Amino acid sequence: MKQIFTFCLLFASLFGLAQSAEKQLIEYVNPMAGTQRMGHTFPGATVPFGAVQLSPDTDTIPYAVNGKYTGRAYEYCAGYQYDDPTIVGFSHTHFSGTGHSDLGDFLIMPTTGKLQLNPGTEDNPQSGYRSRYMRESEIAEPNYYKVNLQDYDITAEFTTTTRVGFHQYTFPKNEEAHIILDLMHGIYNYDGKNVWTFVRVENDSLITGYRQTNGWARTRTVYFAMQFNKSFKNYGHKKYDDGVYKGFYRKFDEEHNFPEMAGHDLRAYFNFDVKKGEQILVKFAMSSVSTEGAMKNLNQEIPGWNFEEVKQAGQQMWNDELGRIQIESLNESDKRVFYTALYHTYLSPIIYEDVDGQYRGLDQNIHQSEDFTNYTIFSLWDTYRSLHPLFNLIQPERNRDMVKSMLAHYDQSVHPMLPVWSHYANENWCMIGYHSVSVIADAIMKGVYTDDLDQALEACVGTATYPKYDGLDYYMKLGFVPEDKNGSSVSKTLEYAYDDWCIVQIAGITEAYQTFDEFMERSKNFFNVFDAESGFMRPRLSDSTFRPEFDPLDTHGQGFIEGNAWNYGLYIPHDPERLVELMGGKAAFTAKLDTLYAMQLSDAHIANNEDITRDGIIGLYVHGNEPGHHIPYLYNWTGSPWKSQQRVRMICETMYKDAPDGLCGNDDCGQMSAWYVFSALGFYPVCPGSEDYAIGSPTVVSATVKLSKRKTLIITTENQSPENVYVQELSFNGRAIEDFTIRHSELMRGGELKFVMGAKPMK
Amino acid sequence: MKQIFTFCLLFASLFGLAQSAEKQLIEYVNPMAGTQRMGHTFPGATVPFGAVQLSPDTDTIPYAVNGKYTGRAYEYCAGYQYDDPTIVGFSHTHFSGTGHSDLGDFLIMPTTGKLQLNPGTEDNPQSGYRSRYMRESEIAEPNYYKVNLQDYDITAEFTTTTRVGFHQYTFPKNEEAHIILDLMHGIYNYDGKNVWTFVRVENDSLITGYRQTNGWARTRTVYFAMQFNKSFKNYGHKKYDDGVYKGFYRKFDEEHNFPEMAGHDLRAYFNFDVKKGEQILVKFAMSSVSTEGAMKNLNQEIPGWNFEEVKQAGQQMWNDELGRIQIESLNESDKRVFYTALYHTYLSPIIYEDVDGQYRGLDQNIHQSEDFTNYTIFSLWDTYRSLHPLFNLIQPERNRDMVKSMLAHYDQSVHPMLPVWSHYANENWCMIGYHSVSVIADAIMKGVYTDDLDQALEACVGTATYPKYDGLDYYMKLGFVPEDKNGSSVSKTLEYAYDDWCIVQIAGITEAYQTFDEFMERSKNFFNVFDAESGFMRPRLSDSTFRPEFDPLDTHGQGFIEGNAWNYGLYIPHDPERLVELMGGKAAFTAKLDTLYAMQLSDAHIANNEDITRDGIIGLYVHGNEPGHHIPYLYNWTGSPWKSQQRVRMICETMYKDAPDGLCGNDDCGQMSAWYVFSALGFYPVCPGSEDYAIGSPTVVSATVKLSKRKTLIITTENQSPENVYVQELSFNGRAIEDFTIRHSELMRGGELKFVMGAKPMK
């Protein structure tokens, strides 16, 4: 009976019939998950890896006012907070789940009644163009978002293609309607963020222009083309930057029906007479190249005005991309959590080139992607851990293109550096490490990146030996980053050592023996920050002594970034055996891990750390942030894998929910969700750059992973239940796996990975 | 004997031997002329129509401080004032002779000793990087400028190609040298003019980047590539814009040896160790497209490091272009004045495209010039009068390309408008009229522009019927611009009427009869502002009455821009007979002209008019500004042409000098100088768009004008002397010209235009 079931599943999977015909995969996705509290996701419309991510913004808290940090911008990294009672408008670019922010370009808002160009306030929405909305009116699906704007009774609907946002506004009665284009609005705004704005009203239904900002991306320009389905009767704009030289433009009534607008800060509006039930549609295309590029994108991606067709085409893309993993689960809720997580892994990086392959590079010149699709938004300190490894499994073509995009960044950079945290042709230098090398090594080791490996190695070595970068000069001289010279020194030393090990892997493949030896040495630098006396990784000073002041619990200023010696000091992913040994052997380390999950972090310990919130904490372990994501799997190296299984299953069940507060911390461009996807399937890449996956405890009943056109990996479980969290037996294509490790290349051959589960640990 | 002389002259001219072998034409050019007082020319290095005009700036008086006009920027329209004791540095872009300004991009200054990044003050140059200089050390030649920077004893030399400036600095002793690149410096600067600056130190001798400004050109970006002939030992920059978000760049010591610089306001420096007598050379290329474009320009135009070779190549270009007119004159000084004027006519418009034909258009997109060279800097209210007509005679290929450039502007504009005053892909809307149509009509009527005439007409008509433009709505409705609705209404009405007549000419050629009739009607609109009672052109109100308050002498607020009813009200170039008739007939108008030159403008009458200065005034006539440039020739229509001859000769001799104060007012992109070149040759285009030239009094003894590869116009004079200012006889190829009018097409056949001069008027 069981075998028949498996066979049917196999058969059905191969023909794409695993899901019941009546329910599409997108119906299991909840784009609202993570929009409440600190998930920092957005509920709006986008296609997989889409450049346009068109979503409601619920407030406009600036990052700083008069140079002073407001302290509230963090909540609005994605522009949307679930509990907010008003919607300011709908902007076209968003990060998914970041802990610092930018974007929110080109906010559009439809209104009626008196024209108001300021956004107004949450407390007094009538004072501006924003509107209240009712939760019940809100629908969020992949590539579709709908809401009723209560103050105007306008129904607003949104869908997208890769480069074009599509708006559909339905008006309740005969009246005058305004479509506001707020070119001052932005996420993490501050005085002076808008560097320049340029707008042309090309004719009575087409507008082009650009917005140039200085923010997290220091030198960033986004071009647009905006087309209405009907002619506006008149239009205008208001400037909010009186300091700008007016020149001989003073001759004109620039503010009314004058087709050129330019300045630092401006808001434009377009007026229409509408009838009851009439719809105004807006197509909004973007480009990094030029308004000409935006027009190309617009005309190619949405030539017509069929909103439903565009919506369905995008939703079909989602069904296809989500369908790369088809699961059966214990209950509907688990399935929703799974596909919501998978959905979140497809929101970045995003495609960053025009339909003709042109894009603006890091050097601000226009480049052509010759044999790849260019991507941007690389949150690498987060995503190297399991997002890119997940792509190597289910999106290898895209991940190969992402590697190409990172190498193009290297070629365009004035530094010999691969991206650290890059978006929109900018390096924002956020966080630490040079984890591009991990992504590249993982893609090479897994056969996903097979282009010029020597060039890839050169880029990795160039990056790892650039003395100007974040303590690397000291690291290269001393073998560690000294805390007195460069903060977060232990985190840096540990991560550099891991990254160096990744370079060793590439050097091995390319037979670059000198590099191999050199970086093999460097990969052992974690030894240099281990304090045998305290048993912790600990900051060292440039005179080689350990810094006397040391609090292994405080997550601030103790040599770790967003962490402490307890939860960030267990970081030797490339040599967990050595970690166990350093920390006193298997028994002692098991006890240490147990303690980690049992102790408590006080409020004082996590003060001044936006990225560590109570939601994501278990003991001292912080699942809501990345540096410990491998920790639950470390029991595999202490001879007590059942503890990993129990932990992983527990985290899957408590830290991910099918609800607005469904994420326990920033999704960080999909890393938090990628952790879930892997864990739900039963394995995890503890050390990217290696082929090995560590085994956890699958949450799925079964899964079919499309590896390629011809190959499929089937994951099956026996005795799966909420209680049966412990793996009793594990086999791949009938061969028992005793060491709870499975290699990527094995999985890629396809076949069945079979878990037998039970309620008792297999000690 | 005389015939032998003429023959020899002809022979010599045809073989390019008119000048003695020992003296080149560039030796007659004085680039210093016009740099003192209000000529607003610059003494620096450039090739004919060169995009790079590399010249010393002697002060940095901002246009406005905290939004308040300083009142002193006007003197510095070209960056240089002859009497200033210090030089701030050497910047790469300048207008020649304008009365409002912009540019001054990329100031470079070599210094030694303590590094100072602020420019310092004229009174206390030691407080900054600027330097005193001795007049004797200064050499200004076409495409070469040299000066000794006294405070450092550095010899600075400059030459150029079309798109690249070439610097050569010679150091006096072994020391540390600094090359400062001031990216805050600019002409007509004000707080916030610098929109964004982006710099990359590509390697130890190459820098790229761009400067983006908001000024007279509202949205303007200039890219550069800067290459040194030796490696700098270190470098840095300082930012002067603390408001800018720093992001995670705070991780770095950005100010020292960090290869990325960006912000609103910054100054960079590059340090070298130099030996006594050592030279540092800098090549500085510009582009409107990208740094990639600047690199192309740099590598193609100056691949090597031979300063002398580049200088000589540019000077050969000058000799060739100046040689299009070869003159013999009564004395050396006249010859210097003539070639200096001709030199000044070749300083704008400038070539505005990369070596590959790419340029940034008015829509901020990148365009390719398909079958023409693209030009920018069109000061059309000035230059339609005689600069473009001069080009139709001696630079027809370029003028055809300028027309193509204006039509490209029309295609790129969001308004249906040809350029009014355009520079660097921007319309700055300065001054009045739509005189592009005059330039186009003149080029068409003279056979210089022969491309798509229907398209040209469409552009002209589109421009002339755009109701948003400067009172055109009223003009089209009422037949005049009403002063109560739109100031300078009489100037506008008169000039629109003339421009409309130009459109009639094109409509005639293209057989667009409806347009012909419509614009023929409009061309008579000058009638509508003539007040028969006062005998003056006079402002009218929207109720059709003449405005009661009226002062025909005041040059401010009396319906005229930069003029009054006396000197601006004589403007019907397309129908001087009607003008004479309106003003009471030939005798009365002769008397009126006599009075014009005899009366006096009080200081009060010219207050608040920067463009009218005492230097350029003869009676009420203002030669130092453009609106009356045709007036000296008007006696030709009153039956007293000898009075024109006398006036013209007098103006040539008193208003143009071979001296720093050699210009009586702004050269206005060559218009003031083009007036001289025509007048010196003995004729003038009173009505561009018509083929007719009016005769004045030549100052040359003879001239050879190269009309084409095969055709030459020889102008000869008999009895030429300072006293013999009156034309006794005039003939073309032996045929007597009785009416003192000669047609362009006749001249273009080539041959001899012969003046017989005498001391007494031929009444």
Coordinates of all heavy atoms in Angstrom, one line a residue, chain A residues 672-692:
Chain A
M672 N 15.6 33.9 6.1 CA 14.8 33.2 7.2 C 13.9 32.2 6.6 O 13.7 31.1 7.2 CB 14.0 34.3 7.9 CG 13.4 34.0 9.2 SD 14.7 33.7 10.5 CE 15.2 35.4 10.7
S673 N 13.4 32.5 5.5 CA 12.4 31.6 4.8 C 13.2 30.4 4.2 O 12.7 29.3 4.2 CB 11.6 32.3 3.8 OG 10.7 33.2 4.4
A674 N 14.3 30.7 3.6 CA 15.1 29.6 3.0 C 15.5 28.5 4.1 O 15.5 27.3 3.9 CB 16.4 30.1 2.3
W675 N 15.8 29.0 5.3 CA 16.1 28.1 6.4 C 14.9 27.2 6.6 O 15.1 26.0 6.8 CB 16.3 28.9 7.7 CG 16.8 28.1 8.9 CD1 18.1 27.9 9.3 CD2 16.0 27.3 9.8 NE1 18.2 27.1 10.3 CE2 16.9 26.7 10.7 CE3 14.7 27.1 9.9 CZ2 16.5 25.9 11.7 CZ3 14.2 26.2 10.9 CH2 15.1 25.6 11.8
Y676 N 13.7 27.8 6.6 CA 12.5 26.9 6.8 C 12.3 25.9 5.7 O 12.0 24.7 5.9 CB 11.2 27.8 6.9 CG 10.0 27.0 7.1 CD1 9.6 26.6 8.4 CD2 9.3 26.5 6.0 CE1 8.5 25.8 8.6 CE2 8.2 25.7 6.3 CZ 7.8 25.3 7.6 OH 6.7 24.5 7.8
V677 N 12.5 26.4 4.4 CA 12.3 25.5 3.3 C 13.2 24.2 3.4 O 12.7 23.1 3.3 CB 12.4 26.2 1.9 CG1 12.4 25.2 0.8 CG2 11.4 27.3 1.8
F678 N 14.5 24.5 3.6 CA 15.4 23.4 3.8 C 15.0 22.5 5.0 O 14.9 21.3 4.8 CB 16.8 23.9 4.0 CG 17.7 24.0 2.8 CD1 18.2 25.2 2.4 CD2 17.9 22.9 2.0 CE1 19.0 25.3 1.3 CE2 18.7 23.0 0.9 CZ 19.3 24.2 0.5
S679 N 14.7 23.2 6.1 CA 14.5 22.4 7.3 C 13.2 21.6 7.1 O 13.1 20.4 7.6 CB 14.4 23.3 8.5 OG 15.6 23.9 8.7
A680 N 12.2 22.1 6.5 CA 11.0 21.4 6.3 C 11.2 20.2 5.4 O 10.5 19.2 5.5 CB 9.9 22.3 5.6
L681 N 12.2 20.3 4.5 CA 12.5 19.1 3.6 C 13.3 18.1 4.4 O 13.6 17.0 3.9 CB 13.2 19.6 2.4 CG 12.3 20.5 1.4 CD1 13.2 20.9 0.2 CD2 11.1 19.8 1.0
G682 N 13.9 18.5 5.5 CA 14.7 17.5 6.3 C 16.2 17.6 6.3 O 16.9 16.9 6.9
F683 N 16.7 18.6 5.6 CA 18.2 18.8 5.6 C 18.6 20.2 5.4 O 17.7 21.1 5.1 CB 18.8 17.9 4.5 CG 18.2 18.1 3.1 CD1 18.9 19.0 2.2 CD2 17.1 17.4 2.6 CE1 18.3 19.2 0.9 CE2 16.6 17.6 1.3 CZ 17.2 18.5 0.5
Y684 N 19.9 20.5 5.7 CA 20.3 21.9 5.7 C 21.8 22.1 5.4 O 22.6 21.3 5.8 CB 20.0 22.5 7.1 CG 20.3 24.0 7.2 CD1 19.3 24.9 6.8 CD2 21.5 24.5 7.7 CE1 19.5 26.3 6.9 CE2 21.7 25.9 7.7 CZ 20.7 26.8 7.3 OH 20.9 28.1 7.4
P685 N 22.1 23.1 4.6 CA 23.5 23.3 4.2 C 24.3 24.1 5.3 O 24.4 25.3 5.3 CB 23.4 24.1 3.0 CG 22.2 25.0 3.2 CD 21.3 24.1 4.0
V686 N 24.8 23.3 6.3 CA 25.5 24.0 7.4 C 26.7 24.7 6.9 O 27.1 25.8 7.4 CB 25.9 22.9 8.5 CG1 27.0 23.5 9.4 CG2 24.7 22.5 9.3
C687 N 27.4 24.2 5.9 CA 28.6 24.8 5.4 C 28.5 25.0 3.9 O 29.0 24.1 3.1 CB 29.8 24.0 5.7 SG 31.3 24.6 5.1
P688 N 27.9 26.1 3.4 CA 27.9 26.3 2.0 C 29.3 26.4 1.4 O 30.2 26.8 2.1 CB 27.2 27.7 1.8 CG 26.5 27.9 3.1 CD 27.3 27.2 4.1
G689 N 29.5 25.8 0.2 CA 30.8 25.7 -0.3 C 31.2 24.2 -0.2 O 32.1 23.7 -0.9
S690 N 30.6 23.5 0.7 CA 30.7 22.1 0.8 C 29.4 21.5 0.2 O 28.4 22.1 0.2 CB 30.8 21.7 2.3 OG 30.0 20.6 2.6
E691 N 29.5 20.2 -0.2 CA 28.4 19.6 -0.8 C 27.5 19.0 0.2 O 26.4 18.5 -0.1 CB 28.9 18.5 -1.7 CG 29.3 18.9 -3.1 CD 29.1 17.8 -4.0 OE1 27.9 17.3 -4.2 OE2 30.1 17.3 -4.6
D692 N 27.9 19.0 1.5 CA 27.2 18.2 2.5 C 26.0 19.0 3.0 O 26.0 20.2 3.3 CB 28.1 18.0 3.7 CG 29.2 17.0 3.3 OD1 29.2 16.4 2.2 OD2 30.2 16.9 4.1

